[in-house]
Amino acid sequence: MPLEFGRSGFIRCGEESSYGSASGSKTVFSRINSATLQSTQERERKTFLSQSSAAFSVGHFDVFTVVGGSIELPLFYSGSGIYLKAACGTLTDTSTGGSPAEQHQYIPSANLPSLTIDLQRGTGSLEQFSGCMISTLTISGAAGEEIMMSLDIVAQSATAREASISPSFGTGKQIFHFENDSNKLAYNGSNYAVKNFEFSLDNKLDRRNVLGSKQTLEPAISDVREVTLSVTLEMEDDTLYNAMLAGTVSDVSMKFVRADAELEILLRNCYITEYSDNVNSFGPLERSLVFVGEADSSDEAFEIIIKNAEASGISNN
């Protein structure tokens, strides 16, 4: 039999009208770097004392069907919005009256939508996953690299693998390191050049297993959600060190901009934790720190803002 290869792998995605009901409109196609989505059937041995004469188990039973995994994919100015909405909760689309013509705000809410995701397994088969909810969203990048997005997904079910399909990718532009705008990282009235960063949103989703089914019910937020921005910067002064000691609170912003599109990551009411600026080399020193975002009476802890030419923030283009 011919070998299957990872090349040509991609995902196809659509929003579900209700949790676990497979979407009939999977119109967003995305290139991927890796994917670990799969269905696993847990099994345990029966616990009664009757065993074989040599003390081996003589029976087992099904426990839970655990479906999910992770996907790593490049971040685009257009075409990545369906995942951002699923991770954040809500989306507001508005016309700017300028250029870029459309603005899309991905804003946190406690009601997280679910997705149906088809994984084209390279040159092999296709597998459909329903009830996909994003437990953790990560956006990261470093000097000289592509800007990447990683999704940790909790799903409900998967279909039997079936025949492969062909992709219909959109025309959105990919985001690269050199598009970080002139403000670099903005915090408390100052701007800082960034060597690498990682934005992380942890939705604290837990599976809900009950009698009568091996599959989870719709996962629920089980703890306080957390949003952080970890960065490594060149060591230029002690401003951020002093801000960490003083407990200074301010918004943090990073933007990526091209002529026809932009993306901004905005964390509100940030304080600094895990600050480090060790003296450990002859060369330029670095400082690593973590910004933690918090909500207030008028705004949630963060939002992601994209401007492009698309009327919908979850379109394929």
Side-chain angles (χ1 to χ4, degrees):
M1 298 180 67
L3 288 173
E4 295 182 2
F5 295 89
R7 59 177 181 260
S8 304
F10 63 89
I11 56 175
R12 178 177 65 174
C13 183
E15 288 191 312
E16 295 179 345
S17 57
S18 60
Y19 177 74
S21 298
S23 171
S25 180
K26 294 172 287 185
T27 58
V28 177
F29 292 78
S30 300
R31 296 173 171 86
I32 61 173
N33 288 49
S34 65
T36 65
L37 285 179
Q38 69 172 45
S39 179
T40 301
Q41 180 57 59
E42 295 180 333
R43 293 185 175 90
E44 295 282 353
R45 69 174 182 85
K46 295 178 181 178
T47 57
F48 47 63
L49 296 180
S50 299
Q51 307 297 334
S52 73
S53 59
F56 288 100
S57 170
V58 294
H60 65 274
F61 65 99
D62 289 352
V63 185
F64 299 124
T65 304
V66 179
V67 187
S70 63
I71 303 173
E72 184 181 30
L73 62 167
L75 185 63
F76 284 75
Y77 290 106
S78 302
S80 297
I82 193 168
Y83 311 109
L84 298 178
K85 179 185 176 185
C88 297
T90 59
L91 166 65
T92 300
D93 297 319
T94 55
S95 296
T96 66
S99 180
E102 306 293 336
Q103 175 174 283
H104 315 289
Q105 294 171 273
Y106 303 89
I107 302 169
S109 78
N111 298 313
L112 300 177
S114 60
L115 306 173
T116 299
I117 298 176
D118 292 345
L119 171 61
Q120 176 58 48
R121 299 174 49 80
T123 62
S125 55
L126 175 139
E127 191 169 8
Q128 175 181 282
F129 297 86
S130 299
C132 296
M133 297 183 69
I134 297 177
S135 177
T136 334
L137 164 71
T138 301
I139 298 173
S140 61
E145 297 181 359
E146 305 163 275
I147 306 304
M148 302 298 296
M149 175 168 61
S150 181
L151 313 172
D152 287 335
I153 293 172
V154 178
Q156 184 183 53
S157 63
T159 62
R161 294 178 179 179
E162 55 188 82
S164 62
I165 61 171
S166 298
S168 180
F169 296 121
T171 58
K173 302 299 183 182
Q174 189 176 346
I175 305 178
F176 297 102
H177 69 102
F178 54 81
E179 293 169 337
N180 187 203
D181 78 342
S182 59
N183 290 324
K184 308 302 181 185
L185 180 143
Y187 174 73
N188 198 31
S190 299
N191 303 102
Y192 301 92
V194 180
K195 296 179 72 69
N196 59 66
F197 78 96
E198 181 178 281
F199 166 86
S200 177
L201 168 64
D202 187 349
N203 284 326
K204 304 292 185 180
L205 291 183
D206 271 356
R207 299 178 186 273
R208 296 166 55 211
N209 296 115
V210 297
L211 293 175
S213 177
K214 292 183 285 185
Q215 298 176 344
T216 180
L217 301 179
E218 182 175 359
I221 297 173
S222 61
D223 202 345
V224 178
R225 296 165 78 184
E226 296 179 351
V227 62
T228 60
L229 181 66
S230 305
V231 296
T232 300
L233 315 173
E234 293 184 320
M235 186 67 189
E236 297 173 316
D237 57 32
D238 294 319
T239 303
L240 292 173
Y241 177 66
N242 293 332
M244 179 272 296
L245 293 175
T248 301
V249 173
S250 180
D251 293 350
V252 172
S253 172
M254 284 189 69
K255 285 185 180 181
F256 294 86
V257 178
R258 51 178 290 131
D260 56 354
E262 66 180 67
L263 177 144
E264 179 181 7
I265 299 172
L266 174 64
L267 274 69
R268 295 190 176 90
N269 308 310
C270 288
Y271 59 94
I272 298 172
T273 65
E274 300 181 35
Y275 182 97
S276 173
D277 59 5
N278 297 331
V279 179
N280 53 15
S281 74
F282 287 99
L285 299 180
E286 297 178 349
R287 48 191 163 177
S288 299
L289 55 147
V290 178
F291 295 99
V292 179
E294 288 187 322
D296 57 33
S297 59
S298 56
D299 292 300
E300 291 296 344
F302 80 97
E303 67 179 283
I304 299 172
I305 304 161
I306 292 180
K307 295 181 181 179
N308 55 33
E310 304 303 317
S312 170
I314 58 171
S315 70
N316 190 42
N317 288 323

